[in-house]
Amino acid sequence: MIGNEEDRILTKSDHWVIMMIGKKKNHIISSAEDKGLTINEKDIGRYLSEMKAAVENDRYRLDRNPRRQDNINLFLDYVIDEAKAKKIILNLTVMDFSEIIQNEHKGFEHESLYVFGKDVILLERNGTEEKTVSLYIKFNKLENCFVIVISFHEQKYPLTYYFK
């Protein structure tokens, strides 16, 4: 073990290793080798279609509460509004898919959260420069087809894309 007992190294495939400091992340799937599970482009395409239908029908919420400061910061740091965020979500593709993780909140452990990444060009709010921003986008599509956009912020670490 590297560091203290809070540090963990999780091997996700023979292509990459991720080191988590502090909190262990409960991955359901981030590579075909994980727990013998397989997922294909058709599965993610179906998920995206259902999620996008909910977003198009305004059956979604982008979390911007005090527990989601990173989401708030994206809107403070760049010229972006709800309409542009919706457009970014609707332009996600299967190739933007990264992983599926288990919801860690008590009572919601049965839920699967889907993680995507997207590079977008945004104008800095306090400046004149446009910048390519790598976004981390995490969804929870509820059984009633309502979508919660849990995370919509700059990536804190580079994502590995499942189908690239």
Side-chain angles (χ1 to χ4, degrees), residues 64-80:
R64 285 192 281 176
N65 59 55
R67 293 183 313 137
R68 300 288 175 203
Q69 188 62 47
D70 290 337
N71 295 352
I72 294 168
N73 289 346
L74 184 73
F75 288 82
L76 294 174
D77 294 342
Y78 299 96
V79 178
I80 184 171

PDB file of all heavy atoms in Angstrom, residues 64-80:
ATOM      1  N   ARG A  64     -27.548  22.680  -8.238  1.00  0.00           N
ATOM      2  CA  ARG A  64     -26.698  23.826  -7.901  1.00  0.00           C
ATOM      3  C   ARG A  64     -27.066  24.264  -6.496  1.00  0.00           C
ATOM      4  O   ARG A  64     -27.646  25.315  -6.280  1.00  0.00           O
ATOM      5  CB  ARG A  64     -26.885  24.965  -8.906  1.00  0.00           C
ATOM      6  CG  ARG A  64     -26.197  24.677 -10.217  1.00  0.00           C
ATOM      7  CD  ARG A  64     -26.128  25.882 -11.097  1.00  0.00           C
ATOM      8  NE  ARG A  64     -27.409  26.084 -11.759  1.00  0.00           N
ATOM      9  CZ  ARG A  64     -27.681  27.107 -12.528  1.00  0.00           C
ATOM     10  NH1 ARG A  64     -26.794  28.045 -12.732  1.00  0.00           N
ATOM     11  NH2 ARG A  64     -28.849  27.220 -13.108  1.00  0.00           N
ATOM     12  N   ASN A  65     -26.738  23.412  -5.538  1.00  0.00           N
ATOM     13  CA  ASN A  65     -26.997  23.707  -4.135  1.00  0.00           C
ATOM     14  C   ASN A  65     -25.651  23.792  -3.412  1.00  0.00           C
ATOM     15  O   ASN A  65     -24.617  23.515  -4.005  1.00  0.00           O
ATOM     16  CB  ASN A  65     -27.934  22.641  -3.530  1.00  0.00           C
ATOM     17  CG  ASN A  65     -27.355  21.243  -3.635  1.00  0.00           C
ATOM     18  OD1 ASN A  65     -26.240  20.998  -3.186  1.00  0.00           O
ATOM     19  ND2 ASN A  65     -28.093  20.325  -4.238  1.00  0.00           N
ATOM     20  N   PRO A  66     -25.659  24.192  -2.147  1.00  0.00           N
ATOM     21  CA  PRO A  66     -24.381  24.363  -1.425  1.00  0.00           C
ATOM     22  C   PRO A  66     -23.486  23.120  -1.405  1.00  0.00           C
ATOM     23  O   PRO A  66     -22.274  23.237  -1.298  1.00  0.00           O
ATOM     24  CB  PRO A  66     -24.823  24.746  -0.016  1.00  0.00           C
ATOM     25  CG  PRO A  66     -26.160  25.384  -0.203  1.00  0.00           C
ATOM     26  CD  PRO A  66     -26.800  24.632  -1.344  1.00  0.00           C
ATOM     27  N   ARG A  67     -24.090  21.927  -1.541  1.00  0.00           N
ATOM     28  CA  ARG A  67     -23.274  20.708  -1.563  1.00  0.00           C
ATOM     29  C   ARG A  67     -22.647  20.480  -2.938  1.00  0.00           C
ATOM     30  O   ARG A  67     -21.828  19.586  -3.106  1.00  0.00           O
ATOM     31  CB  ARG A  67     -24.108  19.485  -1.178  1.00  0.00           C
ATOM     32  CG  ARG A  67     -24.573  19.501   0.259  1.00  0.00           C
ATOM     33  CD  ARG A  67     -25.340  18.260   0.639  1.00  0.00           C
ATOM     34  NE  ARG A  67     -26.349  17.917  -0.357  1.00  0.00           N
ATOM     35  CZ  ARG A  67     -26.586  16.684  -0.803  1.00  0.00           C
ATOM     36  NH1 ARG A  67     -25.907  15.673  -0.347  1.00  0.00           N
ATOM     37  NH2 ARG A  67     -27.525  16.467  -1.699  1.00  0.00           N
ATOM     38  N   ARG A  68     -23.029  21.263  -3.912  1.00  0.00           N
ATOM     39  CA  ARG A  68     -22.535  21.125  -5.288  1.00  0.00           C
ATOM     40  C   ARG A  68     -21.822  22.404  -5.727  1.00  0.00           C
ATOM     41  O   ARG A  68     -22.106  22.964  -6.770  1.00  0.00           O
ATOM     42  CB  ARG A  68     -23.703  20.808  -6.233  1.00  0.00           C
ATOM     43  CG  ARG A  68     -24.433  19.539  -5.898  1.00  0.00           C
ATOM     44  CD  ARG A  68     -23.604  18.336  -6.244  1.00  0.00           C
ATOM     45  NE  ARG A  68     -24.271  17.114  -5.811  1.00  0.00           N
ATOM     46  CZ  ARG A  68     -23.629  16.000  -5.585  1.00  0.00           C
ATOM     47  NH1 ARG A  68     -22.333  15.939  -5.745  1.00  0.00           N
ATOM     48  NH2 ARG A  68     -24.279  14.930  -5.191  1.00  0.00           N
ATOM     49  N   GLN A  69     -20.872  22.848  -4.902  1.00  0.00           N
ATOM     50  CA  GLN A  69     -20.165  24.098  -5.169  1.00  0.00           C
ATOM     51  C   GLN A  69     -19.426  24.070  -6.501  1.00  0.00           C
ATOM     52  O   GLN A  69     -19.346  25.081  -7.190  1.00  0.00           O
ATOM     53  CB  GLN A  69     -19.204  24.426  -4.027  1.00  0.00           C
ATOM     54  CG  GLN A  69     -18.580  25.811  -4.134  1.00  0.00           C
ATOM     55  CD  GLN A  69     -19.606  26.936  -4.088  1.00  0.00           C
ATOM     56  OE1 GLN A  69     -20.495  26.950  -3.248  1.00  0.00           O
ATOM     57  NE2 GLN A  69     -19.503  27.882  -5.022  1.00  0.00           N
ATOM     58  N   ASP A  70     -18.895  22.907  -6.892  1.00  0.00           N
ATOM     59  CA  ASP A  70     -18.194  22.820  -8.170  1.00  0.00           C
ATOM     60  C   ASP A  70     -19.128  23.156  -9.330  1.00  0.00           C
ATOM     61  O   ASP A  70     -18.720  23.794 -10.306  1.00  0.00           O
ATOM     62  CB  ASP A  70     -17.599  21.428  -8.377  1.00  0.00           C
ATOM     63  CG  ASP A  70     -16.427  21.158  -7.442  1.00  0.00           C
ATOM     64  OD1 ASP A  70     -15.797  22.117  -6.972  1.00  0.00           O
ATOM     65  OD2 ASP A  70     -16.138  19.966  -7.198  1.00  0.00           O
ATOM     66  N   ASN A  71     -20.385  22.718  -9.242  1.00  0.00           N
ATOM     67  CA  ASN A  71     -21.371  23.049 -10.281  1.00  0.00           C
ATOM     68  C   ASN A  71     -21.617  24.557 -10.318  1.00  0.00           C
ATOM     69  O   ASN A  71     -21.675  25.159 -11.393  1.00  0.00           O
ATOM     70  CB  ASN A  71     -22.696  22.323 -10.028  1.00  0.00           C
ATOM     71  CG  ASN A  71     -22.583  20.817 -10.146  1.00  0.00           C
ATOM     72  OD1 ASN A  71     -21.562  20.282 -10.565  1.00  0.00           O
ATOM     73  ND2 ASN A  71     -23.632  20.118  -9.760  1.00  0.00           N
ATOM     74  N   ILE A  72     -21.760  25.143  -9.166  1.00  0.00           N
ATOM     75  CA  ILE A  72     -21.985  26.596  -9.062  1.00  0.00           C
ATOM     76  C   ILE A  72     -20.790  27.349  -9.646  1.00  0.00           C
ATOM     77  O   ILE A  72     -20.956  28.320 -10.394  1.00  0.00           O
ATOM     78  CB  ILE A  72     -22.245  26.997  -7.592  1.00  0.00           C
ATOM     79  CG1 ILE A  72     -23.558  26.390  -7.094  1.00  0.00           C
ATOM     80  CG2 ILE A  72     -22.252  28.516  -7.432  1.00  0.00           C
ATOM     81  CD1 ILE A  72     -23.753  26.476  -5.589  1.00  0.00           C
ATOM     82  N   ASN A  73     -19.585  26.883  -9.323  1.00  0.00           N
ATOM     83  CA  ASN A  73     -18.371  27.556  -9.784  1.00  0.00           C
ATOM     84  C   ASN A  73     -18.277  27.604 -11.301  1.00  0.00           C
ATOM     85  O   ASN A  73     -17.782  28.589 -11.860  1.00  0.00           O
ATOM     86  CB  ASN A  73     -17.123  26.894  -9.200  1.00  0.00           C
ATOM     87  CG  ASN A  73     -16.981  27.156  -7.723  1.00  0.00           C
ATOM     88  OD1 ASN A  73     -17.647  28.018  -7.148  1.00  0.00           O
ATOM     89  ND2 ASN A  73     -16.119  26.388  -7.080  1.00  0.00           N
ATOM     90  N   LEU A  74     -18.745  26.562 -11.986  1.00  0.00           N
ATOM     91  CA  LEU A  74     -18.702  26.577 -13.452  1.00  0.00           C
ATOM     92  C   LEU A  74     -19.486  27.764 -13.987  1.00  0.00           C
ATOM     93  O   LEU A  74     -19.035  28.466 -14.894  1.00  0.00           O
ATOM     94  CB  LEU A  74     -19.260  25.267 -14.029  1.00  0.00           C
ATOM     95  CG  LEU A  74     -19.169  25.176 -15.551  1.00  0.00           C
ATOM     96  CD1 LEU A  74     -17.735  24.945 -15.996  1.00  0.00           C
ATOM     97  CD2 LEU A  74     -20.084  24.093 -16.082  1.00  0.00           C
ATOM     98  N   PHE A  75     -20.646  28.029 -13.399  1.00  0.00           N
ATOM     99  CA  PHE A  75     -21.504  29.131 -13.843  1.00  0.00           C
ATOM    100  C   PHE A  75     -20.952  30.491 -13.409  1.00  0.00           C
ATOM    101  O   PHE A  75     -21.253  31.503 -14.028  1.00  0.00           O
ATOM    102  CB  PHE A  75     -22.932  28.931 -13.333  1.00  0.00           C
ATOM    103  CG  PHE A  75     -23.638  27.809 -14.040  1.00  0.00           C
ATOM    104  CD1 PHE A  75     -23.436  26.492 -13.664  1.00  0.00           C
ATOM    105  CD2 PHE A  75     -24.490  28.060 -15.104  1.00  0.00           C
ATOM    106  CE1 PHE A  75     -24.074  25.451 -14.321  1.00  0.00           C
ATOM    107  CE2 PHE A  75     -25.133  27.034 -15.776  1.00  0.00           C
ATOM    108  CZ  PHE A  75     -24.920  25.719 -15.385  1.00  0.00           C
ATOM    109  N   LEU A  76     -20.135  30.507 -12.354  1.00  0.00           N
ATOM    110  CA  LEU A  76     -19.499  31.751 -11.906  1.00  0.00           C
ATOM    111  C   LEU A  76     -18.242  32.070 -12.710  1.00  0.00           C
ATOM    112  O   LEU A  76     -17.943  33.228 -12.980  1.00  0.00           O
ATOM    113  CB  LEU A  76     -19.137  31.668 -10.424  1.00  0.00           C
ATOM    114  CG  LEU A  76     -20.294  31.576  -9.431  1.00  0.00           C
ATOM    115  CD1 LEU A  76     -19.766  31.353  -8.021  1.00  0.00           C
ATOM    116  CD2 LEU A  76     -21.170  32.815  -9.501  1.00  0.00           C
ATOM    117  N   ASP A  77     -17.518  31.025 -13.121  1.00  0.00           N
ATOM    118  CA  ASP A  77     -16.227  31.212 -13.782  1.00  0.00           C
ATOM    119  C   ASP A  77     -16.339  31.402 -15.296  1.00  0.00           C
ATOM    120  O   ASP A  77     -15.425  31.951 -15.915  1.00  0.00           O
ATOM    121  CB  ASP A  77     -15.313  30.018 -13.501  1.00  0.00           C
ATOM    122  CG  ASP A  77     -14.931  29.897 -12.035  1.00  0.00           C
ATOM    123  OD1 ASP A  77     -15.080  30.891 -11.291  1.00  0.00           O
ATOM    124  OD2 ASP A  77     -14.511  28.793 -11.622  1.00  0.00           O
ATOM    125  N   TYR A  78     -17.440  30.926 -15.882  1.00  0.00           N
ATOM    126  CA  TYR A  78     -17.598  30.981 -17.339  1.00  0.00           C
ATOM    127  C   TYR A  78     -18.961  31.549 -17.701  1.00  0.00           C
ATOM    128  O   TYR A  78     -19.903  31.503 -16.917  1.00  0.00           O
ATOM    129  CB  TYR A  78     -17.447  29.576 -17.951  1.00  0.00           C
ATOM    130  CG  TYR A  78     -16.088  28.993 -17.686  1.00  0.00           C
ATOM    131  CD1 TYR A  78     -15.871  28.120 -16.619  1.00  0.00           C
ATOM    132  CD2 TYR A  78     -15.001  29.333 -18.490  1.00  0.00           C
ATOM    133  CE1 TYR A  78     -14.612  27.607 -16.355  1.00  0.00           C
ATOM    134  CE2 TYR A  78     -13.737  28.816 -18.239  1.00  0.00           C
ATOM    135  CZ  TYR A  78     -13.554  27.955 -17.168  1.00  0.00           C
ATOM    136  OH  TYR A  78     -12.304  27.450 -16.914  1.00  0.00           O
ATOM    137  N   VAL A  79     -19.049  32.053 -18.941  1.00  0.00           N
ATOM    138  CA  VAL A  79     -20.319  32.560 -19.454  1.00  0.00           C
ATOM    139  C   VAL A  79     -21.106  31.345 -19.946  1.00  0.00           C
ATOM    140  O   VAL A  79     -20.892  30.834 -21.046  1.00  0.00           O
ATOM    141  CB  VAL A  79     -20.105  33.587 -20.588  1.00  0.00           C
ATOM    142  CG1 VAL A  79     -21.444  34.053 -21.135  1.00  0.00           C
ATOM    143  CG2 VAL A  79     -19.281  34.764 -20.088  1.00  0.00           C
ATOM    144  N   ILE A  80     -21.961  30.855 -19.073  1.00  0.00           N
ATOM    145  CA  ILE A  80     -22.785  29.685 -19.368  1.00  0.00           C
ATOM    146  C   ILE A  80     -24.086  29.856 -18.601  1.00  0.00           C
ATOM    147  O   ILE A  80     -24.097  30.368 -17.475  1.00  0.00           O
ATOM    148  CB  ILE A  80     -22.071  28.359 -18.998  1.00  0.00           C
ATOM    149  CG1 ILE A  80     -22.928  27.151 -19.410  1.00  0.00           C
ATOM    150  CG2 ILE A  80     -21.675  28.325 -17.542  1.00  0.00           C
ATOM    151  CD1 ILE A  80     -22.202  25.816 -19.279  1.00  0.00           C
TER     152      ILE A  80
END
